[in-house]
Amino acid sequence: MTERKGYHVSYDDAGSVVIDEASHEAMAGDDAPVPQGGLGCHSGSTMKEAARAAGQSELLDQFARDYPQGPHDKPQSMCPAFGSLRVGLRMKRVATILSGSACCVYGLTFVSHFYGARRSVGYVPFNSETLVTGKLFEDIREAVHDLADPAQLDAIVVTNLCVPTASGVPLRLLPKEIDGVRVVGIDVPGFGVPTHAEAKDVLAGAMLNYARTEAEAGPVPMPEAGRSDRPTVALMGEMFPADPMMIGQMIAPMGLATGPVVPCREWRELYAALDCGAAAAIHPFYTSAVREFQAAGRPVIGSAPVGHDGTAAWLAALGDAFGNSAKEVASAQNASLPPIRAALASTPIRGTITLSGYEGSELLVARLLIESGAEVPYVGTACPRTAWSADDAAWLEAKGVKIRYRASLEDDCAAMEAIRPDLAIGTTPVVQKGKELGIPSLYFTNLISARPLMGVAGAGSLAQVVNAAIANKERMGRMRAFFEGVGAEDTAGVWEGSPNLQPAFRAQNLKKLEKQARAAKAAQMI
C-alpha cells in the first residue's frame, strides 16, 4: 500500500499538552443593529440583513457555500442548533453554553433531554441593552471563565443562536483556551444552517479545525484506545453502533481498520480521526469536516458499504484511496459479498415505498430497500446534493428513482399522495399525513435510521419492520373507515352542535395578511 501523504499526527508521552496562544481582547460597545423582538429562524431575509449589517457577511457566505439552501429558505424541522447541541452533549468532558432567546434555549434543552442528554446546558440570557452595549459578549466570556475547570473539562462549546448571530456577538474573540480548557465558539442560526443534520457538521468541523491546529503545532495526547497498528479509515456520520464494527470486519482483509466516527465522543478521538489514511463521508453533508480532512492531506471517499452493489463499489474505492492491490480488494469483496447477497435473498421486501427524511442517509436506505426487492419511486432528502452522494444518486436514478434534494414537506407529501405507496417512510408530518390517508407509515429517524445499514447486518435489518408495516395496510384501511365522518380540521372531534366557523372573519383576516405580504415585498424592492 502507498504511504499516507500530508502531515503526520505525533502523540506526546505525557498524555497532555499545553496550548500556548495569545489571548484575545473582547470587543465591547458593539454598535450592530439589534433585531426586533419576536424575530427568529423563520424571519428569513430580515434576520440575514441584520446579520450582514452586524458584520457577519463572511459567516453567511461560508454557510451559503457549505449548506446551499433549496426552495424553502427556513427550517422545516426542529431548530437546526439541536444538531450541534447533540454533538456536544454526547462528548466526554465537554460543556455546552447557549446564547439565544430564552424560548429557543428552553426548546433546545427540552428536546436534548428528551433524546437522553444527562448533563446541564449552560445559558447566558440577554436583552436589547446587553446586545447593543456588548455586555452580552462580556457575560459569555465571564461564564466561560467560570466554567473552565481543567480537572473536569477538555473543552467548552459556546453556541450563538439566531438573535446573537444576527446582532454580531463576536464569539471569535473569546480566548482560545483557559487553563488548558479549549473554547470553541460557533454560530448556528436557523437562517443560515438549513437542517439540524448540517449543524452537526458545523461543530464537528470547528472541532476538527481546532484539533488539526494542535496537531500541527506539536505532540498531542494519545487517545484512550491507543493507536491502531494498521492504517485507519475515519467515518463521517452518526451511525448505528454495530456499523463501524461491520465496516471493520469488511476492510480487515485489506489490512485496514476503522478509525473514530466523526462526530467524535471525546476530544482525543479528533486527533485519531485526523491520523487516518482516508476519510469516508458515510453521510454526505459533512462539508466542513471534509474540508478539514482534505486540509490534512487525507483523501475522502463517498457512498457507503450498503447492500451488495454499494459494498462492492465502496471497497474498490477504498482500495484505490489506500493503494491496495486488486488481489487485496478482491479478497475483501469475496469475503463480504456472498453473505450480503444471501441475507438480501432470505429477507425480501415486496411493495412500493416512498422515502424521505433529514438525516442524510436517505439514499443509502433507498439502495438497501431496492436490493431487498422493494420498489422505491421517490426519495426526498432535506440535505443538499454533494459529490459524496453522487455514486448513490447515479445508482438510484438508473433504477428509475426520482431524487429530490432539499426536499420540502410539500414535496414529500405530494409524492406520497400521487404514488399511494404500500408504505411511506418519512418525517413526523409525512407519517401523520400518510396515516390520515390510510397508508402505513414509519418515522425515518427512530424506526429506520436507528438500525444497522452496513454489510451483512444491514442487509436484513429493515425487512422485519418494513414487511410488518406493509402488512398493516388492510388494518389501516379498516381504521380509516371506522373513523370516517368524525370530522377534520375545524370540525375534528366530538361536537354537541355545529362549530361556529366565522367564514367572513377568516376572509377579512386573509385580506390583511395578503396586504402585509405585499407591503413587505414592496419594501424589499426599494
Side-chain angles (χ1 to χ4, degrees), residues 111-299:
V111 74
S112 68
H113 290 299
F114 179 83
Y115 276 90
R118 297 182 178 180
R119 68 182 76 170
S120 298
V121 178
Y123 171 47
V124 180
F126 70 90
N127 56 36
S128 296
E129 180 181 353
T130 59
L131 278 174
V132 171
T133 61
K135 180 64 165 56
L136 173 57
F137 176 81
E138 300 292 340
D139 291 342
I140 293 172
R141 186 172 65 172
E142 181 180 355
V144 171
H145 276 275
D146 290 343
L147 195 59
D149 180 0
Q152 300 292 328
L153 299 174
D154 290 330
I156 299 172
V157 177
V158 186
T159 303
N160 268 345
L161 304 181
C162 289
V163 173
T165 294
S167 301
V169 176
L171 297 183
R172 64 188 179 278
L173 298 183
L174 289 172
K176 296 301 181 183
E177 62 90 17
I178 301 171
D179 295 332
V181 178
R182 304 159 185 85
V183 179
V184 181
I186 59 173
D187 290 82
V188 191
F191 55 85
V193 182
T195 68
H196 79 278
E198 289 160 298
K200 298 174 186 177
D201 177 50
V202 174
L203 181 52
M207 287 185 164
L208 281 171
N209 178 271
Y210 198 125
R212 183 169 62 83
T213 302
E214 291 181 295
E216 289 174 344
V220 292
M222 180 78 71
E224 289 184 5
R227 190 178 190 182
S228 173
D229 58 354
R230 291 173 289 170
T232 60
V233 183
L235 307 174
M236 282 177 273
E238 290 185 313
M239 288 172 277
F240 189 78
D243 279 339
M245 291 187 288
M246 287 303 307
I247 293 175
Q249 293 177 13
M250 288 188 283
I251 65 178
M254 299 166 64
L256 306 176
T258 53
V261 175
V262 178
C264 297
R265 294 303 184 94
E266 64 171 326
W267 189 271
R268 294 185 183 191
E269 286 185 353
L270 294 165
Y271 308 133
L274 292 166
D275 199 22
C276 69
I282 303 295
H283 288 187
F285 57 83
Y286 279 84
T287 309
S288 179
V290 164
R291 185 164 54 245
E292 296 304 322
F293 280 112
Q294 290 177 331
R298 306 319 191 213

Side-chain angles (χ1 to χ4, degrees), residues 33 47 49 69 100 121 184 186 198-199 207-208 216-217 247 278 283 296 303 384-386 429 443 447 460 484 501 526:
M47 292 290 277
E49 291 169 3
Q69 294 181 336
V121 178
V184 181
I186 59 173
E198 289 160 298
M207 287 185 164
L208 281 171
E216 289 174 344
I247 293 175
H283 288 187
S303 191
R385 179 193 295 270
T386 71
Y443 180 33
L447 296 175
E484 192 70 38
L501 300 182
I526 296 176

Side-chain angles (χ1 to χ4, degrees), residues 6 25 31 46 81 109 130 132 166 179 188 244 260 284 297 323 367 412 421 461 466:
E25 292 297 323
D31 295 327
T46 303
T109 53
T130 59
V132 171
D179 295 332
V188 191
R367 292 189 66 155
D412 297 336
S461 67
V466 168

